[in-house]
Amino acid sequence: MAPSQVRVRFAPSPTGYLHVGGARTALFNWLFARHEGGVFILRIEDTDSERSTEEAAAGIIEAMRWLGLDWDEGPEVGGPAGPYRQAERFDIYREYAERLLAEGRAYYCVCTPEELEVRRKAALAAGRSLKYDGRCRERGNRPPMASPGVAVPGAGGPVVRLRISEAGGIQINDLVHGTIRFEDADMDDFILLRSDGMPTYNFAVVVDDVLMGITHVIRGDDHISNTPRQIKLYEALGLPIPFFAHIPMILGPDRARLSKRHGAMGVMAYQEMGYLPEAMVNYLARLGWSHGDQEIFTQEELIRHFTLEKVGRTAAVFDPAKLEWLNGQYVKQAVPERLVVLVRPFWEAVGVSREEIDRKSHAWLDEAIRLFQERARTLVELAASSRFIFEGKIERDRAAVAQILTPDARARIRALLQEMEGLPAFTASALESLFRAKAAALGLKLVDLAQPFRVALSGRTVSPPMFPIMALMGRELVRRRVQEALEETG
């Protein structure tokens, strides 16, 4: 690795799905690495065995792949298989704990949780600091009640604490927030290894970042409080401190912290709602970052323009309506052949059989997408709006049917059906000519004749241009679909 090469990581805990905030952090790391020609690492921080699950880890990996955020290294020789898993690295953490113990920078603490709680309450009552009082600092580095040769605590044993100076402070130049200062007096001798030998979050993170050569730590600003402790660990290990960039949180439209009630679901829930991954990436990139007034970016443009200097210091607001609008722009621009593949499960969800889809030619399906993609904001809308062009029963807007399919309108539709039977070619141009001639003969505007027919055909008042749709459906299905509407309305 070249000394100047940028190396960043996204390090989620597998205790739940990958949420919007986590996905944005992953994206900012990925974009920074790609912009700088660096390395992006995915590391699953699964040291919390009680809360971490394989299902959650698999879900995070699936979401990363759906978003297209590929990582560059893995633990297997010849990666990028990965991601790294902290649960597979416990021996490494213990080795570094032994080093700090041997150098006198860490020590064993035998204070029990019960004793610490008694002292905490006493300090609270006396108005003193609640931090650990350091009474085990001067103990030897040999673990109490340990067998010969045992260098770290086992289950039920002592903990290992880092020795923190009581004077001085730390100042960092955060790449988003600017200068931030932390005082040593505000920190206590925090735990590195718990009584069961498991590493704490701050310890494992620093060891991993050191060994993986991380040059820039880009994460949410809820981690700012972890930064001074981690810097103390870098100093204790005598290693260079990386650059830090803490990204402001994401708020809901009401400017409260983003939660499920704002739509802060797992990233894969947006796939299920019919969003395209490139739209999601575009929207996440614009949550707290900007490049002039540009709203829509290709992946190449995001990589080319992304810098940490353009990340804002204030919280970003998540707007579901804007995300939906942006997704609609991507649906409009998408190649029909791709949308055919993506929309299939959504068609099946609204009742189109898999067999019927398979019977349609590629050209037919592509044309169906071209006709409907302009108006659809999601794949769910695309499937629902085009449902009527397939076989099977459809849902109709009952209010529109009752209002528009009047007795006079139904009579005109029946007459049109009869005249359509005589068309030598069931094409869009032939159908439009028929409707225009019929409207002129009745002294009506084209819309006065076409709109009732649209409602009878589709069950809705809005659809793409009707004549190409009718030509695509074919004479038989158009006749049957319209007759169903006439029968339902009497």
Side-chain angles (χ1 to χ4, degrees), residues 300-471:
E300 291 72 23
E301 287 174 327
L302 287 174
I303 292 171
R304 183 167 66 251
H305 296 307
F306 185 85
T307 63
L308 292 173
E309 288 79 9
K310 293 182 180 179
V311 174
R313 296 187 180 187
T314 58
V317 176
F318 183 84
D319 184 352
K322 187 171 183 180
L323 171 59
E324 187 176 70
W325 169 83
L326 184 63
N327 195 70
Q329 304 307 303
Y330 277 92
V331 171
K332 289 178 186 179
Q333 299 168 12
V335 176
E337 291 83 354
R338 177 180 175 231
L339 288 183
V340 167
V341 175
L342 295 178
V343 82
R344 282 182 67 107
F346 297 95
W347 270 332
E348 292 179 25
V350 295
V352 182
S353 72
R354 185 174 303 178
E355 292 74 21
E356 182 178 3
I357 300 173
D358 291 339
R359 284 197 302 270
K360 300 297 185 184
S361 68
H362 293 301
W364 192 97
L365 292 169
D366 290 349
E367 180 62 17
I369 293 297
R370 288 190 187 93
L371 290 171
F372 287 89
Q373 71 185 118
E374 180 71 22
R375 296 170 179 263
R377 292 167 296 181
T378 68
L379 297 180
V380 170
E381 285 190 2
L382 181 57
S385 63
S386 59
R387 168 67 185 90
F388 72 92
I389 69 175
F390 292 92
E391 303 281 351
K393 201 166 183 64
I394 65 170
E395 291 187 8
R396 303 179 185 277
D397 182 340
R398 294 189 178 185
V401 168
Q403 179 182 359
I404 296 175
L405 294 188
T406 63
D408 287 344
R410 294 199 300 273
R412 293 168 188 154
I413 290 172
R414 289 190 180 94
L416 274 169
L417 285 177
Q418 289 180 352
E419 295 186 34
M420 283 165 49
E421 292 297 327
L423 287 176
F426 203 76
T427 63
S429 58
L431 287 164
E432 183 174 357
S433 296
L434 171 62
F435 272 68
R436 289 189 180 279
K438 186 69 172 176
L442 295 173
L444 300 172
K445 296 179 181 177
L446 178 61
V447 66
D448 295 329
L449 192 61
Q451 185 65 351
F453 201 94
R454 184 193 312 277
V455 172
L457 181 68
S458 69
R460 300 168 180 241
T461 58
V462 177
S463 76
M466 189 173 60
F467 303 119
I469 291 175
M470 293 168 65

Side-chain angles (χ1 to χ4, degrees), residues 199-312:
T200 58
Y201 165 77
N202 282 311
F203 184 47
V205 162
V206 169
V207 171
D208 283 340
D209 285 350
V210 165
L211 294 179
M212 295 175 190
I214 300 304
T215 61
H216 295 72
V217 176
I218 305 170
R219 58 190 180 187
D221 61 7
D222 54 328
H223 282 284
I224 287 179
S225 60
N226 290 318
T227 303
R229 293 186 173 195
Q230 292 174 11
I231 289 176
K232 285 298 181 183
L233 272 167
Y234 280 102
E235 293 176 345
L237 292 168
L239 295 167
I241 299 169
F243 294 100
F244 288 92
H246 290 94
I247 306 165
M249 69 175 65
I250 301 175
L251 305 179
D254 58 359
R255 305 200 70 80
R257 184 158 188 164
L258 192 64
S259 64
K260 288 183 179 179
R261 65 188 175 88
H262 297 114
M265 299 163 287
V267 168
M268 297 309 291
Y270 290 93
Q271 181 195 42
E272 295 169 4
M273 292 189 295
Y275 287 83
L276 300 180
E278 58 269 34
M280 198 72 194
V281 165
N282 191 154
Y283 184 72
L284 291 174
R286 290 287 288 110
L287 279 177
W289 172 85
S290 62
H291 177 70
D293 295 328
Q294 187 172 345
E295 291 286 351
I296 300 176
F297 295 82
T298 64
Q299 183 184 87
E300 291 72 23
E301 287 174 327
L302 287 174
I303 292 171
R304 183 167 66 251
H305 296 307
F306 185 85
T307 63
L308 292 173
E309 288 79 9
K310 293 182 180 179
V311 174

Side-chain angles (χ1 to χ4, degrees), residues 52-69:
S52 298
T53 68
E54 284 301 317
E55 181 182 6
I60 290 170
I61 293 170
E62 180 187 18
M64 293 286 287
R65 286 175 173 156
W66 181 66
L67 292 170
L69 305 182

Side-chain angles (χ1 to χ4, degrees), residues 26-79:
L27 175 62
F28 280 15
N29 276 277
W30 186 86
L31 288 173
F32 184 69
R34 297 293 174 260
H35 177 82
E36 298 290 340
V39 173
F40 174 67
I41 291 171
L42 176 61
R43 185 174 74 220
I44 303 296
E45 300 194 334
D46 51 357
T47 56
D48 187 343
S49 57
E50 292 185 2
R51 298 177 61 226
S52 298
T53 68
E54 284 301 317
E55 181 182 6
I60 290 170
I61 293 170
E62 180 187 18
M64 293 286 287
R65 286 175 173 156
W66 181 66
L67 292 170
L69 305 182
D70 55 325
W71 52 94
D72 301 310
E73 289 184 4
E76 291 82 356
V77 176

